[in-house]
Amino acid sequence: MSRKPIIAGNWKMNLLQSEAKDLFEGIKGFVKDYTAVELPTIVIAPVFTSLAAVETVKCDCGCGGNKINIAGQNCHWEKSGAYTGEVSVEMLADAGCSYVIIGHSERRQYFSETDEMINKKAKAILAGGLIPIICCGETLEQREAGVTDSWISGQIKAALEGISSEDVAKSVIAYEPIWAIGTGKTCDSDEANRVIAMIRSVVKEVAGAEAADAIRILYGGSVKPSTIEEQMSKSDIDGALIGGASLKADSFNEIIAKTMKLTLAAK
Ligand code: PGA
């Protein structure tokens, strides 16, 4: 089965509204020459206060797809209520989001997000008709101790607990080794592919072969225009979640262009 690649930009806590608008316009200007069929699934995740500065870009070729999709960087699992500082799935949908990043290592590390919370968020996102981008990944200490696979397999099983195979199939996972995030140290692409294939086998175990075949699993951690081709040429890497290199239209568009070229060449 061929899975449509995803190129997702995680803008993290960066960009004021006017800056977010400029970056969005830079990406929009690039995608206008292509159809959503040709482009990878493009997702951008601005801060909540800049959601108003961006919008979903629909394709006009008749395919019914989107050229740019918007994501929230986090959400709460409850619909509304006394949760100061939080935002619900319905509110994100109302602000134009169709994806939500959850379980990013920065949220786990600095905001004490647990696997149980990530599971509740994933269920709320899917119930609200949006798509979760579920992040997982090991620390350098865990890698050196040889527990990478068992750690990640535990994160994935916990995140997908109680979710139907149909919903797992539509979800997205991002494998982001923590030591490779924002450090310039990219994980060797064969090793990233090996871990992602391992994640796919865990998905198969919990949700069946069809879901494992359909689910898109991304690599994240210092992805740049110079690394994307090798990463995308690997069998199980279905795209990238990009931090630093997604903050400039030039580098993000170059990553999209290179992904598109490889996808078209493979057809
Ligand atoms: P990076 O961030 O590309 O800056 O390493 C990736 C991420 O944290 O999603």
Side-chain angles (χ1 to χ4, degrees), residues 10 12 104 106 176 180-183 220-223 241-245:
N10 175 9
K12 305 194 181 182
H104 191 281
E106 288 149 16
E176 300 202 302
I181 296 178
T183 58
S222 298
V223 172
L241 180 57
I242 305 148

Side-chain angles (χ1 to χ4, degrees), residues 36-265:
V37 180
E38 293 166 309
L39 290 164
T41 302
I42 299 171
V43 182
I44 53 172
V47 291
F48 298 141
T49 50
S50 287
L51 284 173
V54 303
E55 63 187 1
T56 300
V57 177
K58 294 195 183 308
C59 187
D60 51 16
C61 83
C63 69
N66 295 333
K67 295 192 192 190
I68 301 179
N69 302 279
I70 311 300
Q73 292 182 15
N74 179 34
C75 68
H76 196 275
W77 54 87
E78 294 292 347
K79 288 194 163 70
S80 62
Y83 301 100
T84 303
E86 291 292 322
V87 63
S88 74
V89 173
E90 193 184 0
M91 289 162 188
L92 288 176
D94 189 44
C97 296
S98 46
Y99 290 76
V100 190
I101 299 172
I102 51 171
H104 191 281
S105 59
E106 288 149 16
R107 300 245 14 122
R108 294 181 191 252
Q109 187 182 348
Y110 306 131
F111 305 99
S112 310
E113 245 177 54
T114 63
D115 283 336
E116 195 195 341
M117 289 157 78
I118 291 156
N119 177 245
K120 284 192 200 167
K121 291 178 186 203
K123 285 177 176 159
I125 293 164
L126 288 158
L130 278 70
I131 298 174
I133 301 179
I134 305 164
C135 303
C136 63
E138 81 287 359
T139 62
L140 188 58
E141 292 71 39
Q142 288 168 326
R143 173 156 285 269
E144 285 170 349
V147 297
T148 298
D149 291 15
S150 58
W151 174 256
I152 290 170
S153 141
Q155 286 185 318
I156 297 302
K157 284 182 183 162
L160 300 181
E161 169 78 40
I163 298 180
S164 72
S165 299
E166 291 75 28
D167 277 348
V168 170
K170 332 181 177 135
S171 301
V172 177
I173 292 175
Y175 167 55
E176 300 202 302
I178 297 170
W179 47 272
I181 296 178
T183 58
K185 274 189 231 155
T186 318
C187 179
D188 172 77
S189 48
D190 283 325
E191 172 58 11
N193 192 52
R194 185 196 69 76
V195 176
I196 288 177
M198 185 280 297
I199 294 172
R200 206 177 293 288
S201 69
V202 173
V203 173
K204 186 174 175 187
E205 195 186 315
V206 300
E210 258 179 56
D213 206 21
I215 193 169
R216 289 179 289 176
I217 311 181
L218 319 180
Y219 167 76
S222 298
V223 172
K224 299 180 270 297
S226 60
T227 65
I228 191 70
E229 282 163 302
E230 195 184 323
Q231 287 151 344
M232 287 308 300
S233 69
K234 301 294 169 195
S235 60
D236 279 84
I237 302 181
D238 300 324
L241 180 57
I242 305 148
S246 73
L247 291 173
K248 292 267 180 307
D250 282 358
S251 50
F252 193 63
N253 291 342
E254 194 178 338
I255 291 172
I256 296 169
K258 287 185 165 167
T259 303
M260 200 166 33
K261 219 162 137 193
L262 275 174
T263 322
L264 293 174

